[in-house]
Amino acid sequence: MAGLGFLIAISLYVALGIFVVWRTPKAWGKALAVAAVILLPTADAWWGRNVTLPELCKDAGLKVFKKASKQDGMMVDDALSATYKWTGQPSVRVLGYFGEEWITQDGFSFVEGRTYDGDTPRLSLVDGKVLRESKVTPKAKYVFVGWKEIPTAFGKNFGGSEMRIEDRQTGEVISQYRRYGFRGGWAERFLGGFADSGPQGVGCTSSSVNESAVLRQKTFE
């Protein structure tokens, strides 16, 4: 039914365009009508992709305002909950914690979390093993803030978001990673409604980039 709706919508628009051109008097009027029929569903999509989005993308990506030390620790705006991971050859599923790789691979001295009940758990390495403590007194200097929406001045067809690292006490932004996207022109969004996947947008950065890892690795030393 979705494919049929798509074809019906396209057919109706083409039929309407032919009717408008046919009813428009004089050759120059018909030329203008043809141009309008072509541009009406495509102009905003072209402008969005080729003018507005590239302008927004100048602000996308990584910005490091100040270097930070891994020895001062990191707080995650989330719980350090238990999770499963795969390791070794052949792969074996083992129990770990969210944020564990930050101390085992990235080299942070410790990682703290925040939970809704006010508990502050902490992960650290003791004798080469990950130790999880509960209800500790927070001491991390920095806090990692996950993806949050940021406004743009170009309407609801454009979206922006950022993750950042802040000074936990002052709120100063130490570094940020921003991305922007364009949800498509009005015709793309309308026709995309007939597809199971919905309208397809386009963004500034590759989806294969691990933005969180880039942000941590470039900010801390």
Side-chain angles (χ1 to χ4, degrees), residues 40-203:
L40 184 61
T42 60
D44 65 333
W46 183 91
W47 189 268
R49 279 178 168 79
N50 295 283
V51 179
T52 306
L53 185 60
E55 185 65 26
L56 281 172
C57 288
K58 293 178 182 178
D59 186 49
L62 175 70
K63 289 184 180 179
V64 178
F65 306 108
K66 182 187 295 186
K67 285 290 188 178
S69 172
K70 295 178 181 179
Q71 299 307 308
D72 291 323
M74 175 90 89
M75 176 171 279
V76 184
D77 199 17
D78 202 347
L80 301 179
S81 55
T83 184
Y84 283 100
K85 62 181 181 178
W86 293 91
T87 184
Q89 292 293 336
S91 294
V92 178
R93 193 174 78 154
V94 297
L95 184 65
Y97 296 100
F98 171 74
E100 181 179 316
E101 69 277 6
W102 294 19
I103 57 176
T104 59
Q105 299 177 22
D106 293 350
F108 286 90
S109 58
F110 62 93
V111 175
E112 296 174 341
R114 289 195 287 207
T115 60
Y116 294 110
D117 60 5
D119 179 24
T120 300
R122 178 184 296 145
L123 298 179
S124 55
L125 275 180
V126 178
D127 297 329
K129 295 182 179 180
V130 176
L131 172 67
R132 185 185 188 279
E133 304 170 90
S134 296
K135 298 182 179 180
V136 301
T137 300
K139 65 177 183 178
K141 183 175 181 179
Y142 303 103
V143 58
F144 176 89
V145 181
W147 290 113
K148 303 289 184 182
E149 289 190 10
I150 54 175
T152 73
F154 300 101
K156 62 181 181 180
N157 294 346
F158 297 88
S161 59
E162 73 173 11
M163 61 172 57
R164 58 185 181 271
I165 294 171
E166 300 176 350
D167 185 295
R168 189 170 64 87
Q169 296 296 330
T170 66
E172 177 189 7
V173 178
I174 305 302
S175 60
Q176 68 186 31
Y177 199 111
R178 287 185 173 181
R179 61 186 182 191
Y180 294 94
F182 175 51
R183 300 184 179 96
W186 73 267
E188 292 175 301
R189 297 194 308 276
F190 174 74
L191 294 174
F194 293 104
D196 293 336
S197 59
Q200 299 298 305
V202 61

Side-chain angles (χ1 to χ4, degrees), residues 7-58:
L7 291 176
I8 290 174
I10 292 291
S11 299
L12 287 175
Y13 184 81
V14 171
L16 179 62
I18 293 174
F19 177 77
V20 170
V21 172
W22 175 65
R23 293 286 295 177
T24 301
K26 298 185 180 180
W28 64 267
K30 292 183 183 298
L32 288 177
V34 169
V37 169
I38 295 174
L39 291 176
L40 184 61
T42 60
D44 65 333
W46 183 91
W47 189 268
R49 279 178 168 79
N50 295 283
V51 179
T52 306
L53 185 60
E55 185 65 26
L56 281 172
C57 288
K58 293 178 182 178

